[in-house]
Amino acid sequence: MALKRGFSISGLNKNRRGGSRLPIVVVIFFCVLSPLMFFVGRGLYKTSSSTDQNLNAVGSGKQHLNWRERLALQHVKSIFSEEVIDVIRSSTADLGPLSLDSFRKNNLSASWKVIGVDTSVKDNAASEPNQTATVVKQEAPKGKDDNISDDDSQSGDTPAKLARRQLREKRREKRAAELLRQDDEAIARLESAIIERSKLVDGAVLGKYSIWRKEMDSENSDSTVRLMRDQMIMARVYLSIAKMKSKLNLLQELQTRIKESQRVLGDSSADSDLHPSAPEKIKAMGQVLSKAREQLYDCKLVTGKLRAMLQTADEQVRSLKKQSTFLSQLAAKTVPNGIHCLSMRLTIDYYLLPLEKRKFPRSENLENPNLYHYALFSDNVLAASVVVNSTIMNAKDSSKHGFHLVTDKLNFGAMNMWFLLNPPGKATIHVENVDEFKWLNSSYCPVLRQLESAAMKEYYFKANHPTSLSSGSSNLKYRNPKYLSMLNHLRFYLPEVYPKLDKILFLDDDIVVQKDLTKLWSVDLHGKVNGAVETCGESFHRFDKYLNFSNPHIARNFDPNACGWAYGMNIFDLKVWKKKDITGIYHKWQNMNEDRELWKLGTLPPGLITFYNLTNPLEKTWHVLGLGYNPSIDRSEIESAAVVHYNGNMKPWLELAMTKYRPYWTKYIKYDHPYLRSCNLSE
């Protein structure tokens, strides 16, 4: 900075007096005046104010300088002109590495600090700010001396600086108060929100638990059970390691404790089911496990044993899933003992009746076109009774309804006897035996012909047939007897069964009627044959779910995204049926599927094919499905439906039925009936 200042002075003199005196000024500055300039700059800075513009300010501050500084000022005044003094004074705040103040600031010990640093900007729009002197002092305990020195250091401030400092302090205090006020307001808003939220919490739902704390009033009800199971797992791990390392005493002790824990645990799923001796067994097992850990623990061995146990458990889970599938399919296609008992008792009593008492009244209405006719094909007496009873109980005029029941030879007497004993009000009812339909033979019906073939018998009775519960069967679903029964396929022969009827409503035996269905006969089918509720959603229950579109016959004739529809409640226009030869279409596709390459067994896939582009969609409130497999159907949707359908394996007359859906079915059964009581049928 000294060099820079010399250049500035010489440049100034050159501009004013010419360039001939430059060497003399430089020599004088470096040799004589440089040391003096440190004292001059420091003295000028201490005694001058920001408004001083000439050398009179230096003179006014002489009383504060010592005799060396006064002597230096006199020499400087005699040597330099006023312009040079101005340049020197304006540069004292930026003396660079030769500044004494800069040296003091940059080379202080840890017990020194710098205070009083301030900056200001000239009003004449100078490009860089001038810094005030920096006052340094050694830190000492605060007291009266510190306050006096602070007052002394600020005594030289001008009134303007003091006013600005006070204004800044007021602004800081105002800002701090504002921030505190904002914090208080935010806390108040948060508290109000918490109070409002707590009002919305249902105390009845929470019970003894609090959403504001994690502690629970009581332990888990199965914590002891889980502890015993965990102990037994680790005991089995150490048991295998003890056997490997020939620790016979420990091996025997582990076996004993495992047997004791198994006896105490049994089939318990909650702590309340455990034997009172459970805590003692847990303590004894813990002691043995502690001993085993000290003698046998090896991280690699334990990890390997646990991994092997995990794989074994995974295999057991898969095996149990197969068994569950097998048993659920088996339960779905079996008849409960109570219903079988009911059928047998009714059959015996029917054939004991005289012939004249076996006839139903109002048989002349069976072909009356003014009646509302229903077709029901079933071999389940109790299920058929629910369909008929629920329909009649919700009908406005029961005398205008006629029921056409078809069953097999085994249940023909039972079905007749039940409705002779329990007539459905003033409705007309008639029961027929499917085995007496002489026209339904293997030469006319492709399904009967296929059932007589060796390939079909092989598929049903030999090939891939499970020999045990654990083996399961992926195709067991399609081996359900209902797929072999002609009662299931009779729906494709309605005009042959009822040649004099024009319209008929087909009902499955696993449905419940909840509203009057007479309006279905006035629904405009727009020239279509079948009126049904569609079942497709965004991506499911479309044609590609049921049909094999890798087959060219299927891919060429049908749209894989076409919407499926439901059997169970279908209104059929038998006049259009005959005109379109629907039965002939069904026979054609059934013959093509003899090797089961177009679809699996069942009646819905051939129904989708047979009535393709011939089905008119009904409103979804007419028919709600899924009560036999879907546990998440909305209750309001069920109660607003005209017909609810228990399609799936969980039929309402089976023990595996879903409890929450069963009341919709059981309310149409009189469990105090003598026949039901004698067969132990109850809710």
Side-chain angles (χ1 to χ4, degrees):
M1 290 302 294
L3 183 61
K4 178 180 177 182
R5 194 158 44 246
F7 289 152
S8 299
I9 295 172
S10 64
L12 179 62
N13 292 336
K14 183 178 179 180
N15 291 335
R16 292 182 177 271
R17 299 179 180 85
S20 60
R21 299 180 59 185
L22 176 61
I24 299 173
V25 173
V26 172
V27 172
I28 294 172
F29 180 76
F30 279 105
C31 296
V32 180
L33 299 179
S34 293
L36 295 176
M37 289 180 65
F38 294 110
F39 298 101
V40 171
R42 189 168 181 270
L44 289 175
Y45 183 75
K46 288 184 177 180
T47 57
S48 62
S49 66
S50 61
T51 58
D52 289 341
Q53 300 295 329
N54 50 45
L55 197 58
N56 293 330
V58 178
S60 62
K62 285 182 181 179
Q63 58 184 347
H64 300 290
L65 302 177
N66 56 29
W67 64 274
R68 292 187 179 86
E69 291 173 341
R70 287 198 297 272
L71 180 61
L73 285 174
Q74 291 176 0
H75 285 287
V76 170
K77 183 177 179 181
S78 62
I79 296 174
F80 296 106
S81 63
E82 294 181 0
E83 291 82 355
V84 175
I85 296 298
D86 291 337
V87 173
I88 294 172
R89 193 178 65 187
S90 64
S91 302
T92 55
D94 191 17
L95 296 179
L98 297 179
S99 170
L100 181 60
D101 292 335
S102 176
F103 174 79
R104 287 174 177 173
K105 287 187 291 183
N106 295 332
N107 296 276
L108 299 178
S109 66
S111 62
W112 289 79
K113 67 177 182 178
V114 181
I115 61 173
V117 180
D118 195 6
T119 58
S120 62
V121 181
K122 286 187 177 182
D123 294 334
N124 60 357
S127 60
E128 56 184 14
N130 295 328
Q131 296 182 354
T132 61
T134 302
V135 181
V136 296
K137 68 175 183 177
Q138 190 170 9
E139 287 186 340
K142 292 184 178 180
K144 294 181 180 180
D145 296 339
D146 294 339
N147 296 332
I148 293 172
S149 62
D150 290 342
D151 294 337
D152 291 342
S153 65
Q154 295 180 1
S155 60
D157 291 340
T158 62
K161 285 187 177 181
L162 291 173
R164 286 197 298 273
R165 185 178 293 108
Q166 292 175 358
L167 184 60
R168 284 195 298 271
E169 292 295 333
K170 289 181 180 180
R171 284 202 297 267
R172 290 192 189 100
E173 293 176 358
K174 184 178 179 181
R175 178 59 178 164
E178 183 179 357
L179 290 174
L180 290 174
R181 181 181 57 79
Q182 291 178 357
D183 289 343
D184 293 339
E185 291 177 356
I187 293 172
R189 287 196 300 269
L190 182 60
E191 291 176 350
S192 300
I194 292 173
I195 293 172
E196 293 299 325
R197 181 179 176 186
S198 64
K199 292 179 181 179
L200 299 176
V201 177
D202 189 358
V205 175
L206 290 176
K208 61 184 178 181
Y209 299 102
S210 173
I211 62 174
W212 304 115
R213 62 192 184 93
K214 297 181 179 180
E215 299 87 33
M216 300 301 178
D217 294 340
S218 62
E219 297 181 354
N220 294 331
S221 60
D222 62 341
S223 59
T224 307
V225 172
R226 288 189 285 111
L227 175 59
M228 293 189 70
R229 289 174 179 167
D230 292 343
Q231 283 185 332
M232 290 172 65
I233 290 173
M234 289 307 302
R236 290 190 180 97
V237 171
Y238 288 129
L239 183 69
S240 60
I241 298 176
K243 188 181 298 184
M244 181 190 306
K245 295 187 176 182
S246 300
K247 300 285 186 178
L248 300 181
N249 293 334
L250 189 57
L251 175 66
Q252 186 176 1
E253 193 171 356
L254 285 168
Q255 289 175 340
T256 303
R257 297 306 178 192
I258 290 174
K259 290 179 181 179
E260 290 177 352
S261 297
Q262 286 176 338
R263 283 195 296 269
V264 172
L265 187 61
D267 296 330
S268 303
S269 58
D271 294 353
S272 58
D273 301 332
L274 290 173
H275 191 270
S277 62
E280 297 178 2
K281 304 303 179 185
I282 292 174
K283 184 177 180 180
M285 177 66 83
Q287 293 173 352
V288 175
L289 290 176
S290 178
K291 185 190 299 184
R293 178 181 176 84
E294 293 175 358
Q295 298 182 20
L296 303 175
Y297 184 79
D298 182 280
C299 184
K300 186 176 181 180
L301 277 177
V302 171
T303 304
K305 294 297 180 182
L306 288 173
R307 185 180 292 112
M309 292 175 65
L310 181 62
Q311 293 175 353
T312 303
D314 189 43
E315 293 175 359
Q316 290 177 351
V317 168
R318 284 197 294 268
S319 176
L320 290 173
K321 284 184 178 179
K322 287 184 179 181
Q323 293 182 22
S324 175
T325 303
F326 182 92
L327 292 173
S328 63
Q329 295 290 344
L330 186 63
K333 66 182 183 180
T334 54
V335 179
N337 289 335
I339 296 178
H340 181 70
C341 167
L342 177 65
S343 179
M344 292 298 101
R345 286 180 177 271
L346 289 170
T347 301
I348 293 171
D349 291 345
Y350 174 75
Y351 287 109
L352 292 175
L353 284 176
L355 293 177
E356 63 272 11
K357 292 185 178 181
R358 297 181 186 180
K359 295 182 180 180
F360 290 100
R362 295 178 291 276
S363 59
E364 67 277 2
N365 292 329
L366 292 175
E367 297 178 354
N368 186 351
N370 297 322
L371 263 62
Y372 304 110
H373 295 275
Y374 300 86
L376 176 61
F377 309 143
S378 175
D379 58 358
N380 188 325
V381 177
L382 195 62
S385 70
V386 171
V387 175
V388 174
N389 290 343
S390 62
T391 304
I392 294 303
M393 290 177 65
N394 291 285
K396 295 180 180 179
D397 186 358
S398 62
S399 63
K400 294 184 178 181
H401 298 265
F403 293 90
H404 303 264
L405 275 69
V406 180
T407 186
D408 54 16
K409 183 187 300 184
L410 181 64
N411 295 282
F412 176 73
M415 199 76 72
N416 277 279
M417 189 63 187
W418 177 264
F419 288 106
L420 285 171
L421 294 173
N422 307 281
K426 297 180 180 180
T428 301
I429 192 166
H430 180 60
V431 180
E432 295 181 272
N433 182 3
V434 68
D435 297 319
E436 294 179 358
F437 295 160
K438 303 301 180 183
W439 52 268
L440 196 61
N441 50 57
S442 59
S443 61
Y444 177 68
C445 178
V447 173
L448 286 175
R449 185 172 63 252
Q450 291 170 9
L451 289 176
E452 294 176 356
S453 67
M456 189 67 72
K457 291 178 181 179
E458 176 73 16
Y459 175 78
Y460 271 107
F461 304 111
K462 294 181 181 179
N464 297 323
H465 197 281
T467 57
S468 65
L469 290 178
S470 60
S471 62
S473 176
S474 59
N475 293 325
L476 181 63
K477 169 181 179 179
Y478 302 106
R479 291 188 171 87
N480 195 312
K482 72 177 183 179
Y483 296 123
L484 302 177
S485 173
M486 279 309 300
L487 289 175
N488 201 39
H489 294 270
L490 198 60
R491 64 192 69 190
F492 293 103
Y493 300 96
L494 288 173
E496 284 86 345
V497 181
Y498 311 109
K500 295 185 179 181
L501 298 180
D502 294 334
K503 268 191 176 181
I504 196 166
L505 183 64
F506 171 79
L507 298 176
D508 267 341
D509 64 354
D510 55 352
I511 64 105
V512 174
V513 179
Q514 300 186 132
K515 293 183 180 180
D516 185 28
L517 301 180
T518 55
K519 292 183 179 179
L520 281 171
W521 277 265
S522 60
V523 171
D524 186 6
L525 297 181
H526 302 94
K528 304 296 178 64
V529 181
N530 176 26
V533 171
E534 293 182 333
T535 58
C536 61
E538 295 181 358
S539 60
F540 56 95
H541 287 187
R542 298 184 182 272
F543 270 45
D544 58 354
K545 174 180 174 64
Y546 305 100
L547 304 176
N548 178 20
F549 275 87
S550 63
N551 188 286
H553 296 292
I554 298 296
R556 185 167 54 247
N557 292 281
F558 304 102
D559 180 9
N561 293 317
C563 192
W565 46 268
Y567 265 129
M569 189 207 71
N570 307 80
I571 183 73
F572 290 109
D573 189 331
L574 300 183
K575 285 185 176 180
V576 182
W577 184 306
K578 297 172 186 177
K579 187 184 296 183
K580 299 287 186 180
D581 190 19
I582 298 301
T583 305
I585 297 174
Y586 165 71
H587 283 173
K588 169 192 170 184
W589 287 102
Q590 192 69 51
N591 286 324
M592 294 175 63
N593 193 47
E594 187 168 359
D595 54 1
R596 299 178 305 281
E597 290 186 356
L598 304 184
W599 69 84
K600 295 292 184 181
L601 297 177
T603 54
L604 182 56
L608 296 176
I609 289 178
T610 302
F611 296 101
Y612 183 63
N613 291 330
L614 295 173
T615 299
N616 182 69
L618 302 177
E619 293 183 5
K620 292 187 178 298
T621 53
W622 279 112
H623 188 189
V624 171
L625 299 100
L627 276 71
Y629 69 90
N630 185 3
S632 59
I633 303 174
D634 188 75
R635 182 177 178 181
S636 61
E637 185 179 356
I638 295 174
E639 294 178 350
S640 63
V643 169
V644 291
H645 194 171
Y646 290 84
N647 58 313
N649 289 333
M650 301 179 184
K651 302 298 183 186
W653 55 84
L654 300 175
E655 291 185 2
L656 51 81
M658 283 183 273
T659 307
K660 65 177 181 178
Y661 297 148
R662 205 164 184 267
Y664 298 107
W665 187 80
T666 56
K667 69 179 180 179
Y668 294 104
I669 299 177
K670 295 180 179 180
Y671 284 99
D672 58 349
H673 194 282
Y675 280 90
L676 298 185
R677 288 204 311 268
S678 64
C679 291
N680 296 321
L681 284 168
S682 61
E683 294 185 70

